[in-house]
Amino acid sequence: MSDNDSDTPLSESQVAEENELPVIHLCSLVEELSYGNSALKTETEMFEKYYNKLESRDQRPLRISEIKMSGIELAQLRGRHRSKSRSGLERVTCLSVDQKYELVRKELEDMKEKIRHVRANAERDLQHHEAIIEEAEIRWTEVQREVQEFERDILKTISKKKGSILATQKVMKYIEDMNHRRDHMKDKLRLKNISLKVQRKKMLLQLRQKEEVGEALHDVDFQQLKIENAQFLETIEARNQELIQLKLASGTTLQVLNAFKTRLHRAMEMSINLEKEILLRNELLEKIERETLQVEEDRAKAEALNRKLRKQLAEFRVPPVMMYVREKILNGDLEKTIRMWERKVEIAEMSLKGYRKNWNKMKTTNEQLLAISSLGK
């Protein structure tokens, strides 16, 4: 009793402490519990899906390869399965971490498989719809072309010749041509359909043969396939190593090629600069040649003039001394005469200026007198 009495106040104190917890702490506890419940719910749903799959797998019909097993082996397997299931139900009360991991892994694989199937179906549907759209576009272009041909060949003729027999015949001929064309297209499509059906039958037969061959394989064949697979893997590894070596060689080759490209680019730039310099030098050389020709011409002219002057100098003869003296005296007399006449001209100009001045005075006085006389009248 004392123990019970001692326990009751402790429990009551714990309940009081729990009741006295803050609201934030209670909210966090509620969130943690809800998160744990959601995780447990997800695990339960996943386990139910996996269990339903196992049940559906147990209830599905057996294949031909599975039916080949003897009845005794089937009975033994069923007994083992039942004993394992019973012992599992008795022993296992909850899933371990490895079992959960295996379950989640299988569920993930199934989900990936579903996604892959959905993606494949979506791509197939997309291709189907694209093919339908393309076919509709082709058909629409054909219809437009036929409408244009009908308008060009028939409607214009009917509008020009209303009620004529020729227009009716053209319409009938156009309809017959269209029917023949459609019959021809129908025959082509029928033959194509037959060929596709034959091809489909062949492919189904090949697929069935492959499945039968696959079911008839034994352990020896699997071992042989494993050996061949290992050999092929070794070959692939060797080829990969060769590919890596070739890639490395290609990288070095690309580096060398880039170096040569840079050198070639520099050489091209140098060549362009040299070509420009050569053009400038050629222009300068042409200018120098033109100047040289001009100098040669000037030199020839100077030489001709020099020869002429030399000839004149060679042919020049000095006159006698007395003649020179007479010419000198005559020249002096002529200079004196020129100076005298220049003086006379200056005197005459001065007298002319005086005469002009007097004349102007007389002219002004005469004009004044005429003006006075005109005023007196």
Side-chain angles (χ1 to χ4, degrees):
M1 291 295 290
S2 63
D3 293 330
N4 292 328
D5 293 334
S6 62
D7 290 330
T8 51
L10 288 172
S11 61
E12 288 177 358
S13 63
Q14 288 176 359
V15 170
E17 288 177 357
E18 289 178 357
N19 290 327
E20 291 176 358
L21 287 174
V23 179
I24 298 171
H25 188 60
L26 290 174
C27 291
S28 63
L29 288 174
V30 170
E31 288 179 358
E32 289 178 359
L33 290 173
S34 62
Y35 181 74
N37 289 330
S38 62
L40 290 173
K41 186 177 180 181
T42 305
E43 290 181 0
T44 306
E45 290 176 355
M46 196 177 295
F47 179 71
E48 286 179 355
K49 287 181 182 178
Y50 185 69
Y51 183 72
N52 292 326
K53 285 180 184 178
L54 290 177
E55 283 187 349
S56 62
R57 194 177 296 172
D58 291 335
Q59 291 176 2
R60 66 180 174 82
L62 295 174
R63 294 181 182 176
I64 298 171
S65 60
E66 293 175 354
I67 294 171
K68 291 180 181 179
M69 296 173 67
S70 62
I72 299 168
E73 291 177 352
L74 287 172
Q76 289 177 358
L77 287 172
R78 286 177 183 174
R80 289 175 186 173
H81 182 68
R82 287 175 183 173
S83 63
K84 285 181 181 178
S85 62
R86 288 174 184 174
S87 62
L89 289 171
E90 291 174 357
R91 293 176 185 175
V92 180
T93 58
C94 61
L95 295 175
S96 63
V97 177
D98 295 333
Q99 290 174 347
K100 288 181 181 180
Y101 171 73
E102 187 69 21
L103 192 145
V104 171
R105 187 179 62 78
K106 289 183 179 180
E107 187 68 23
L108 182 62
E109 289 178 357
D110 293 337
M111 188 61 67
K112 286 182 179 179
E113 188 69 24
K114 286 181 182 179
I115 291 169
R116 188 164 58 251
H117 282 300
V118 170
R119 187 174 294 170
N121 293 328
E123 289 179 355
R124 187 171 60 252
D125 294 337
L126 180 62
Q127 291 176 359
H128 179 66
H129 291 304
E130 287 178 352
I132 291 171
I133 292 168
E134 187 177 358
E135 185 180 0
E137 289 178 353
I138 293 168
R139 182 61 183 162
W140 175 244
T141 53
E142 290 178 355
V143 169
Q144 286 182 345
R145 187 174 64 252
E146 289 176 359
V147 168
Q148 290 177 359
E149 291 178 357
F150 183 78
E151 289 178 354
R152 186 182 66 245
D153 298 334
I154 306 301
L155 292 180
K156 289 183 179 179
T157 306
I158 293 172
S159 62
K160 290 178 181 177
K161 299 178 181 180
K162 292 183 179 179
S164 62
I165 300 171
L166 183 62
T168 307
Q169 290 177 356
K170 280 192 173 184
V171 172
M172 295 300 294
K173 188 175 182 303
Y174 180 78
I175 293 170
E176 289 177 358
D177 292 336
M178 289 297 296
N179 290 328
H180 286 304
R181 199 180 301 170
R182 287 178 181 175
D183 292 335
H184 183 65
M185 183 65 70
K186 184 175 69 175
D187 293 334
K188 284 175 68 177
L189 292 174
R190 184 173 56 79
L191 293 173
K192 188 175 181 180
N193 192 10
I194 291 169
S195 64
L196 289 173
K197 284 182 179 179
V198 172
Q199 189 176 0
R200 180 173 174 274
K201 287 181 180 179
K202 288 181 180 179
M203 292 178 72
L204 289 173
L205 183 61
Q206 290 177 1
L207 184 62
R208 194 177 294 112
Q209 289 176 358
K210 286 182 180 179
E211 287 180 354
E212 290 176 356
V213 170
E215 289 178 356
L217 290 174
H218 299 289
D219 293 335
V220 178
D221 297 326
F222 282 115
Q223 293 295 329
Q224 184 68 27
L225 289 173
K226 285 182 180 179
I227 293 167
E228 291 179 357
N229 190 14
Q231 292 176 356
F232 286 134
L233 288 174
E234 290 177 357
T235 307
I236 290 167
E237 186 67 25
R239 293 289 186 273
N240 288 328
Q241 293 295 328
E242 290 179 0
L243 181 62
I244 291 168
Q245 294 295 328
L246 290 173
K247 284 183 178 179
L248 292 173
S250 176
T252 54
T253 306
L254 284 174
Q255 290 178 358
V256 174
L257 180 62
N258 290 325
F260 279 112
K261 280 184 178 179
T262 53
R263 290 174 63 184
L264 179 62
H265 184 66
R266 291 175 184 173
M268 291 293 290
E269 289 181 352
M270 189 180 293
S271 176
I272 291 167
N273 294 326
L274 289 174
E275 286 179 357
K276 290 180 180 178
E277 190 174 356
I278 288 167
L279 289 174
L280 292 173
R281 295 291 178 86
N282 288 327
E283 290 177 358
L284 183 61
L285 182 62
E286 290 177 357
K287 186 177 179 181
I288 291 170
E289 287 178 353
R290 287 196 299 270
E291 290 178 354
T292 305
L293 292 174
Q294 186 67 32
V295 169
E296 289 290 335
E297 291 177 358
D298 295 338
R299 186 178 64 82
K301 290 179 181 179
E303 286 180 353
L305 182 61
N306 191 10
R307 284 195 299 271
K308 185 178 179 181
L309 292 174
R310 284 179 181 276
K311 186 177 179 181
Q312 289 179 0
L313 183 61
E315 292 177 353
F316 180 73
R317 294 290 180 269
V318 180
V321 178
M322 294 304 293
M323 187 182 290
Y324 175 74
V325 172
R326 283 196 298 270
E327 291 291 333
K328 190 72 175 175
I329 293 168
L330 183 60
N331 190 13
D333 294 337
L334 288 173
E335 287 179 355
K336 288 179 182 180
T337 306
I338 289 167
R339 284 195 295 272
M340 184 179 65
W341 280 105
E342 287 177 353
R343 182 65 180 166
K344 286 180 180 181
V345 168
E346 288 177 358
I347 292 167
E349 286 178 353
M350 290 175 68
S351 61
L352 180 62
K353 286 180 182 179
Y355 291 148
R356 282 181 179 175
K357 190 175 181 180
N358 293 326
W359 172 253
N360 289 326
K361 286 180 180 181
M362 290 173 68
K363 190 176 181 180
T364 53
T365 53
N366 190 13
E367 288 177 355
Q368 289 176 0
L369 290 172
L370 288 173
I372 291 167
S373 63
S374 62
L375 289 172
K377 290 179 180 181

